[in-house]
Amino acid sequence: MSQQIDHVFDENRRFVPSEEFAANAIAGPELYDEAAADREAFWAKQSRELIDWHKPFTNVLDWSNPPFAKWFDDGELNVAYNCLDRHVEAGRGDRVAFHFEGEPGDTRTITYAQLTEEVKRVANVLTDLGVGRGDRVAIYLPMIPEAVASLLAVARLGAAHSVVFGGFSADSLRSRIDDAGAKVVITADGGYRKGKATSLKPAVDQALADRGDGEQATVQNVLVVKRTGQDVDWNDERDIWWHDAVATASAEHEAEAFPSENPLFILYTSGTTGKPKGILHTSGGYLTQAAFTHRSVFDLRPESDVFWCTADIGWVTGHSYSVYGPLANGATQVLYEGTPEYPEPGRWWDIIEKYGVTIFYTAPTAVRSFMKQGREIPQKRDLSSIRLLGSVGEPINPEAWMWFREVIGAGDVPIVDTWWQTETGAIMISPLPGVTETKPGSAQVAMPGIAIDVVDEKGEPVGDGAGGLLVVTEPWPSMLRGIWGDPDRFVDTYWKMFADKGYYFAGDGARKDEDGDIWLLGRVDDVMNVSGHRLSTTEIESALVAHEATAEAAVVGANDETTGQAVVAFVILKESFLKQHGPEGLAQDLRTWVGAQIGPIARPRDVFIVNELPKTRSGKIMRRLLRDVAEGREVGDTQTLADTMVMSAITKQVK
Ligand code: PRX
């Protein structure tokens, strides 16, 4: 089957960086030239500038055994030292590392000196529990400062962390603990979400309970942070209170150097075959690209900026842009525990105003939910501190991009739409804010030093103006080094498709426009085939979101006797529109609208107005479930949904 994707939706707005921004930008156009002249030399230079190596490297890239890469492999470093001690040693210990805001409103201000001391103590506690180089530690915590300290303490010891998002069940936690063979689990009694104390420790107890299968759990100890004060069951031989152990531990701890390719973390991402994949990242290359991209994409000035990445630490975005990238760069950040709508929908904007956030990095799903609620809410707050906005996680529809810029960015701040994956470790495609003329909805260009192409099923470039499969054509420093314990699956999943070319296949569809700029078109598995035309979900969704009534849309291809597949759309309306007009006749209007915007080929057969869309815990729309509804089937496995009730509501509405 052809992998070409037809292009149907045009977006012609353009935004150049202001002269002032361009003149002062951290990252200038010369970076592209330097990287093009010698990619490896470029990365070596970045690494030497941004990272302190205990033992300098002489090798840059070893690609003698593809797809297993080694970067800077004769060098030695300590990742936590780079994020902490060196800032204190350089006299920046008083700089705020985190403005922490708990959901109930409790706050803590944590300087680099304080965070360094805490991490040293935790490292000593973990050492006493027998954790050392090569071990794995599972982390199952809310978004609290102890989560950051835990990651860094594990890294400091040369062990690897496996963070499991706090919204996952005991079963998911158990399978991840088992797969990684974790020695210690760090958790909390609970955390705060939507105004309630939720519990975590019981899930750990359940995950570690005797399974009656004779299997010995690998976990020897559980370190428990007291966050909510709720009652917990206690296993005296196994469980240790964080506050007891950390308070009595020594604050002296020398960071030891570990080889560049020492594992830093495993992060599980759901595969298509059910069994989660443990994506493995290592130290030197990962830290280099995380720090470089954080500095250049966000134009970071560590002395004055307040950076806020809203992602949970349970996702890769939280790893790379709330922990490793920003801390390596000595940034000041906001860390927020709860949900955007508690105690009221403007909570995030209150936080931005309160801490004077200058750089704000979030997901399109959040932007669209704010569009649904209405611009009056952010407009009641002073957001004038913001000077740069970032987006990650899904394609951002041009209309959501415009709303983000106008309402949150006062109509004049640059937006960086950053494409990357758990597997890529750090940003791969993005504008540089002082260089790139931005186009709403496009992630635009490969980062300096990153080689990206859009190809057909044979691996041949589709050329400008055409759509196809997104590939990475050269190894990059923060690339995944494998799937934990399963090298064959690593090769099969990412490298088999273009084995003869040695390309990494990301699973995403993309298009290059006439200028060569890249537009992400959604997962290739979601591409629809309507009367022989291969249509991307993204373009039709963007057309729907461009209608004044729509806040969010998801489309799927459903079996159709005449056209093979037909477009079926699920749409969430803006509250302001609903109040004024009501939903009558709108489904028909939206069909006509898409037909006019794109053409009859893309006109949805059905448009369903719904209140919610099914989303994963990280906010991505699960189109597979909508396809079940559209085709009249029983809805499949909803375990990975953030809210499992959503599907029954949608099924009812559709009926
Ligand atoms: O489909 C792409 C989408 O998210 C996928 C990676 O998801 P995950 O591993 O959870 O990492 C999310 C945070 C990096 C990609 O394969 N995606 C991510 N960023 C974008 C995007 N799609 C379009 N535009 C983006 N900026």
Side-chain angles (χ1 to χ4, degrees), residues 497-514:
M497 177 108 176
F498 300 110
D500 52 331
K501 308 247 176 202
Y503 293 171
Y504 168 87
F505 176 46
D508 282 351
R511 175 175 79 86
K512 273 189 173 181
D513 68 16
E514 286 64 28

Side-chain angles (χ1 to χ4, degrees), residues 98 100 115 139-152 161-168 265-268 286 308-324 326-327 333-337 420 422 617-618:
F98 288 100
F100 169 68
L115 186 61
I139 296 176
Y140 186 63
L141 282 170
M143 277 290 277
I144 53 177
E146 287 81 356
V148 178
S150 297
L151 268 69
L152 292 168
H161 52 75
S162 163
V163 182
V164 180
F165 174 61
F168 279 124
F265 66 86
I266 304 167
L267 189 55
Y268 288 85
Y286 170 81
W308 185 16
C309 163
T310 63
D312 192 279
I313 277 176
W315 312 122
V316 74
T317 309
H319 283 54
S320 301
Y321 299 105
S322 288
V323 182
Y324 293 111
L327 294 177
Q333 298 185 77
V334 166
L335 187 75
Y336 172 55
E337 177 185 28
W420 57 295
T422 305
R617 291 178 176 79
S618 66

Side-chain angles (χ1 to χ4, degrees), residues 497-530:
M497 177 108 176
F498 300 110
D500 52 331
K501 308 247 176 202
Y503 293 171
Y504 168 87
F505 176 46
D508 282 351
R511 175 175 79 86
K512 273 189 173 181
D513 68 16
E514 286 64 28
D515 306 322
D517 285 325
I518 295 166
W519 299 71
L520 275 306
L521 297 176
R523 301 294 293 170
V524 169
D525 297 343
D526 291 330
V527 168
M528 297 163 287
N529 196 327
V530 182

